[in-house]
Amino acid sequence: MTEATERFFESLPARAPAILCGLADGALQIDLSTGQQTEQWMVRMQPGTVRISRERGPADAIWSCDAALFDRLITGEAQGIAAVLRNESTFSGNVVLFLAFRRFFPNPPGTRDPREVARKAAGRPA
């Protein structure tokens, strides 16, 4: 596992209040594989909070992903939904948890909010 992955998971509790405002309530197990080795992360989400652990246990959803792909997700170079649709990763269980978790990933580099673009075009401050 990379240092970037460790830092990403460590940052989640501080970022949760701004990101988890909705219906996410449950445990998401994330399995990151490198060759024959798999590392688990348990992400327990509730509105406004998240708890991270490395334990295995009952989960409402399981997301399996290659560790290299996960590194691309945490840098915005790849998108979680696209990875699942292309069968580069697999998901089972409560899809709301996956949809909520993907909000922790950054936007692709160079992405701009279309509302900001429209405000600038209209001459209003962003």
Side-chain angles (χ1 to χ4, degrees):
M1 173 181 356
T2 66
E3 185 178 325
T5 299
E6 290 275 350
R7 284 193 319 260
F8 173 79
F9 280 109
E10 289 172 1
S11 76
L12 297 185
R15 297 172 50 212
I19 293 176
L20 294 178
C21 312
L23 302 173
D25 192 357
L28 171 63
Q29 178 180 310
I30 300 173
D31 295 337
L32 301 179
S33 60
T34 306
Q36 298 296 321
Q37 184 179 357
T38 301
E39 297 184 3
Q40 285 87 26
W41 292 86
M42 184 66 72
V43 181
R44 298 187 188 284
M45 294 181 270
Q46 293 179 318
T49 64
V50 67
R51 288 189 326 257
I52 307 296
S53 69
R54 299 297 301 271
E55 64 191 35
R56 261 189 109 116
D60 301 301
I62 299 172
W63 180 32
S64 300
C65 180
D66 182 74
L69 171 61
F70 194 80
D71 282 344
R72 293 195 332 266
L73 290 166
I74 64 176
T75 59
E77 297 172 23
Q79 297 297 308
I81 297 280
V84 171
L85 292 175
R86 284 193 301 262
N87 206 28
E88 295 174 340
S89 65
T90 59
F91 179 81
S92 63
N94 184 347
V95 72
V96 171
L97 297 175
F98 175 70
L99 295 174
F101 182 78
R102 74 184 175 102
R103 296 183 64 210
F104 285 106
F105 296 135
N107 291 324
T111 300
R112 298 183 312 172
D113 186 333
R115 294 169 292 194
E116 289 179 23
V117 173
R119 287 183 197 114
K120 286 182 183 178
R124 289 185 275 169

